[in-house]
Amino acid sequence: MDELRNFVIDLMERHGAAVEMLNDDRLQVLASTPLQAALGWPELSQLSFGGNRTDNAIAIGFEGDWLHRFGALLGDHGRWAERELALSTVEAPSNPERVLDRALDLPNAVWRFESLKPAFTRCLILTFRYSAVSDEKREGLFWIGFNLSTGAALDEVIAQMLPVLARERWRAPDPATRAETSGQWTPAAIEARVRSSVEVRIRSELEPLLRATRRRLERDRSRIHEYHKELHDASAKRLMALAGAEGEKSEAERHREQLRLAAIEREYHVKLEDLRHHYSTRVMIEWTQALDL
């Protein structure tokens, strides 16, 4: 719960509250008037984050609606960031011409190394949150990214990039760098690129869930089919046995079996429709953050 506690401390202070840490799992908050109105807290409150909670403390956790309340406080803040990053782990080669001589195979060409200047690239990394609900629920995050300079997809390497980026030193973008890396990507072009990538990625993320759901659907559908087939076969046999019989009683029994067969068929289709509704998967995808790097 340390991460949640630290997040709440930062959020409260950004909204004008004074926060004192009483112990590892308890905070005392002197809330501003807007914060009191938004969260329904008194001016002086104690917040509890651990398992040992007392009556005079407000219990904060992942359950309930606290994340939604904090999200309402954040609004659109933090959804978009534009940062410049100079990788400290990358150094210019001391002898570029020697490096090129090893990397290039130009047996029939004469070439000469002219100069070396810093290279810039610009990337867009988007974070999405998804929630998939059928007979069970799955939630998660995934990232879509691509190089705005070359158009290359970054989806496969973002997982390796994020820990590296977290260790590096950020700074506000320099106007000259922004001008050098500005491309021809319009909002419509970015949306078209992201929309197709999101569809492919969400299908990949949910494939285990969908595979398990299809397996349970087939199991229940087979069970319903076998049950109604037995009912149908038994009624059909009785109807065939009455085929040559005459008289009002036999006619009434034939009519009753015909009605029973029709009822079995209707019930069978109703049960299949209930299954389709029960196992249908509803997916909600929300863009949460963007990093223009």
Side-chain angles (χ1 to χ4, degrees):
M1 300 292 283
D2 291 350
E3 292 82 1
L4 179 60
R5 181 202 62 204
N6 295 338
F7 165 75
V8 172
I9 291 174
D10 185 58
L11 184 62
M12 296 300 99
E13 291 178 343
R14 286 174 181 269
H15 284 78
V19 182
E20 179 184 2
M21 185 178 294
L22 301 179
N23 52 48
D24 289 342
D25 61 359
R26 187 176 292 269
L27 303 176
Q28 185 161 280
V29 178
L30 182 63
S32 61
T33 301
L35 201 57
Q36 297 174 46
L39 297 177
W41 291 352
E43 183 178 10
L44 185 63
S45 308
Q46 285 193 17
L47 310 182
S48 174
F49 295 86
N52 299 323
R53 299 173 179 176
T54 58
D55 295 337
N56 61 346
I58 301 172
I60 305 295
F62 292 106
E63 66 279 359
D65 63 344
W66 285 115
L67 294 184
H68 293 288
R69 294 195 194 185
F70 295 148
L73 274 180
L74 285 171
D76 286 335
H77 295 293
R79 288 173 68 90
W80 183 274
E82 187 181 31
R83 296 290 185 269
E84 183 178 337
L85 181 64
L87 293 175
S88 59
T89 56
V90 178
E91 298 180 359
S94 58
N95 191 340
E97 192 166 6
R98 184 180 178 186
V99 173
L100 288 172
D101 195 30
R102 292 179 177 178
L104 298 177
D105 182 17
L106 303 173
N108 298 321
V110 176
W111 64 278
R112 179 181 300 159
F113 175 73
E114 295 287 348
S115 63
L116 177 69
K117 66 176 183 178
F120 298 96
T121 190
R122 188 173 182 177
C123 301
L124 182 64
I125 300 176
L126 302 170
T127 306
F128 292 89
R129 176 180 179 271
Y130 70 87
S131 176
V133 182
S134 57
D135 61 322
E136 60 179 276
K137 185 176 182 179
R138 295 285 177 86
E139 293 181 310
L141 298 173
F142 66 91
W143 290 265
I144 297 292
F146 59 98
N147 191 320
L148 293 173
S149 302
T150 65
L154 302 175
D155 301 354
E156 300 299 325
V157 298
I158 288 179
Q160 287 77 36
M161 288 176 61
L162 293 179
V164 176
L165 298 178
R167 296 194 299 266
E168 296 295 334
R169 181 168 296 180
W170 303 80
R171 63 190 180 198
D174 184 87
T177 306
R178 186 188 290 110
E180 181 153 353
T181 57
S182 62
Q184 302 300 317
W185 289 91
T186 63
I190 292 177
E191 181 181 358
R193 172 69 180 270
V194 169
R195 185 179 296 275
S196 60
S197 299
V198 164
E199 182 175 351
V200 172
R201 186 61 184 275
I202 195 64
R203 288 184 181 276
S204 173
E205 292 284 333
L206 295 180
E207 179 55 32
L209 171 65
L210 296 177
R211 187 166 54 246
T213 301
R214 284 192 292 266
R215 186 168 57 249
R216 292 192 297 273
L217 173 61
E218 290 300 324
R219 178 201 62 198
D220 290 351
R221 187 158 54 189
S222 297
R223 188 177 67 247
I224 289 175
H225 177 77
E226 290 300 323
Y227 173 74
H228 286 83
K229 184 176 183 300
E230 290 180 5
L231 294 178
H232 182 276
D233 291 347
S235 184
K237 286 180 180 180
R238 289 193 294 269
L239 186 60
M240 289 179 62
L242 295 169
E246 297 180 355
E248 292 184 2
K249 183 178 179 180
S250 298
E251 184 63 29
E253 290 179 352
R254 277 196 296 269
H255 181 65
R256 184 167 56 251
E257 292 302 329
Q258 289 170 349
L259 291 177
R260 183 177 287 115
L261 284 172
I264 291 171
E265 184 175 354
R266 286 196 303 271
E267 183 184 16
Y268 175 66
H269 289 294
V270 168
K271 293 294 185 182
L272 288 183
E273 185 61 33
D274 289 343
L275 273 185
R276 282 191 286 269
H277 179 73
H278 179 70
Y279 285 112
S280 63
T281 303
R282 296 167 295 282
V283 181
M284 293 154 285
I285 305 172
E286 178 188 11
W287 163 66
T288 59
Q289 286 185 321
L291 173 62
D292 187 357
L293 174 63

